[in-house]
Amino acid sequence: ALGIGAATAKAYAKAGSLVTIFDINKNAGLDIVKSIVEEGGEAQFFHGDASKSQNCLDAVNMAISNYKSLSVLFNNVAIQPPDSYLNAVDLSEEMWDKIINVNLKSRYLMAKFSIPHMKKLGKGVIINMSSGGATRAHRSFCAYDASKGGIEALTRAMALDLGPYGIRVCALMPG
C-alpha cells in the first residue's frame, strides 16, 4: 500500500488489471484503493499480516471471489525495523523471526495459495521483489540480507517447479 507496492498497484490498475492490495497498514491500503478508483481503475483492499498463513489464504480467496481469477502475484512486502539494525549476536531471535517471516515466508505463503489458481488458467506470473541485500551484505542487516537471499533462492526453485505449468517466476531488484 506504500512505495513500490502502491506505484505497482496503480500501474497495473491503469493498464486495466483488477487489483487486490493486501497490507497490514489499513489506512494506506484504503487510500491507495481510493486513489486507483478515482483514476478509473478497479481495486479492493484486504487488511492483514502477510506473515500469517490464514491471512494470505483469505487475501487470495478475496481476489478470486471478487475477480474470478488470479494471474499475477506481486510479492513486495518487506520490513527492516530501526531496532533491528544489529549484528547477528545482538539481534534477538524474535526480531530475526519477524523479519524472515514477513520478508521471506510471506512470499512462500502467497505463492502457495495463488499457484493452484494459476495452474487452472494454464498461465501466471509471480514477481518476487528482492533487494541488493540478496547479493551483497549490509552492515547490521543480517536478517534482512538473509531474507532477500532466500527470496532469490525461492524464486529460482519455484521457476523450475512451475515453468511446466505456464507460470513464470521472477525476482526484481530495485536500485
Side-chain angles (χ1 to χ4, degrees):
L2 297 168
I4 292 171
T8 302
K10 288 179 95 171
Y12 269 102
K14 188 172 184 173
S17 295
L18 308 174
V19 176
T20 301
I21 296 166
F22 173 20
D23 203 293
I24 201 163
N25 185 329
K26 187 174 184 179
N27 291 335
L30 293 172
D31 286 347
I32 192 67
V33 166
K34 181 180 177 191
S35 175
I36 287 170
V37 170
E38 286 173 351
E39 293 174 17
E42 187 167 342
Q44 62 184 356
F45 176 66
F46 183 86
H47 177 242
D49 181 343
S51 70
K52 305 294 183 201
S53 182
Q54 189 63 52
N55 284 192
C56 293
L57 177 60
D58 291 344
V60 170
N61 285 340
M62 178 188 201
I64 295 300
S65 175
N66 293 332
Y67 297 145
K68 309 302 178 218
S69 72
L70 190 155
S71 59
V72 177
L73 170 64
F74 182 68
N75 269 329
N76 181 60
V77 65
I79 60 169
Q80 177 65 34
D83 58 341
S84 70
Y85 289 61
L86 300 166
N87 62 48
V89 173
D90 296 330
L91 184 70
S92 71
E93 182 178 352
E94 293 76 22
M95 184 58 76
W96 170 272
D97 288 344
K98 181 177 181 177
I99 292 169
I100 296 296
N101 287 342
V102 171
N103 295 5
L104 178 58
K105 181 182 175 186
S106 67
R107 282 158 175 75
Y108 153 74
L109 291 171
M110 289 302 297
K112 174 183 179 67
F113 298 125
S114 298
I115 290 165
H117 302 286
M118 292 178 181
K119 280 184 174 180
K120 284 181 192 173
L121 287 175
K123 63 180 181 177
V125 180
I126 298 171
I127 304 165
N128 291 320
M129 186 59 71
S130 185
S131 162
T135 56
R136 68 175 191 275
H138 298 90
R139 188 173 309 281
S140 301
F141 275 48
C142 65
Y144 181 87
D145 288 351
S147 72
K148 295 302 183 166
I151 288 167
E152 294 200 3
L154 176 66
T155 299
R156 289 188 298 272
M158 287 194 311
L160 286 174
D161 291 343
L162 300 173
Y165 300 99
I167 301 169
R168 292 181 296 121
V169 186
C170 58
L172 293 178
M173 184 184 304

